Amino acid sequence: MTTAIVGVGNIGSSVARHLVAGGEHVVLTAKDESRAQALAEELGPLARAASVEDAISGADVVLLAVWLDTMRELIPAYANLLTGKVVIDPSNPIGFDTAGQMTRTLPDGESSGSVVAALLPAGAHYVKAFGTLGADALAASANRDPLAVLFYATDDHTAAIAIERLIRVAGFEPWKAGGLAAAGRIEAPGGDLHQYGLNGEVADINRARSAAAGFAA
Ligand SMILES: NC(=O)c1ccc[n+]([C@@H]2O[C@H](COP(=O)([O-])OP(=O)(O)OC[C@H]3O[C@@H](n4cnc5c(N)ncnc54)[C@H](OP(=O)(O)O)[C@@H]3O)[C@@H](O)[C@H]2O)c1
């Protein structure tokens, strides 16, 4: 299986490092292809860089590690190539105001996942994942004992199988928060199962179980 990682910033580079450490093939792409090339060289033979078009074409799974506004442009532009692929969406409805304060970019109750899923072609296998921890925690928490949990949300069986495998390969424990309707629970701001909704805690399986059931451990 090959995973295309579109965007090699905070989230994309971290997931790429974890997947390669777990023995997974990745194809990296970014707006500036030299950044993807530099990361591919750092990660070695399991990683290569490509254009966005070639990366998506050659992959089974596509992680869109870009901001929601970028997805609004990229998904329509590459919709035909995304048909039949598992598409992983880590986005949060987050922006920053002129004072640098975090703001919510979507109305309360509307998840970023619902926006991204609606942009995708009908044949894509959508899953929300890899955005439930802040970037620093995601980078630092692979292969802990006990394993840190990464929540995911999907209505799609093919996507669920793929993301469970990739989360384990990356060194985490997968936990299904629910279907697409539960995407908002694992997004920030506002999601009770996002790291920020868990008071900054990186949950292990016991904490995830109690949190997902809706009561404090
Ligand atoms: N940062 C966090 O703590 C965090 C936590 C959870 C979820 N998320 C979510 O993860 C996503 C990515 O966040 P991030 O912090 O990793 O962002 P980032 O560091 O700003 O990286 C964004 C990446 O997108 C690439 N990109 C932009 N336009 C592109 C295009 N047209 N084609 C291909 N690549 C393009 C950029 O390419 P260049 O490298 O060439 O500029 C960059 O590599 C966002 O949706 C965010 O909400 C972030």
Side-chain angles (χ1 to χ4, degrees), residues 126-154:
Y126 174 85
V127 58
K128 175 113 226 161
F130 283 128
T132 56
L133 299 178
D136 289 348
L138 179 67
S141 303
N143 297 306
R144 293 199 329 187
D145 183 16
L147 288 172
V149 162
L150 293 185
F151 293 100
Y152 71 91
T154 186

Side-chain angles (χ1 to χ4, degrees), residues 60-76:
D60 311 286
V61 176
V62 180
L63 169 62
L64 295 174
V66 298
W67 291 91
L68 180 56
D69 282 348
T70 305
M71 290 194 207
R72 293 185 203 268
E73 298 167 17
L74 276 180
I75 293 173

Side-chain angles (χ1 to χ4, degrees), residues 88-103:
I88 308 171
D89 160 30
S91 65
N92 287 310
I94 283 179
F96 296 92
D97 65 19
T98 48
Q101 292 298 306
M102 195 174 80
T103 59

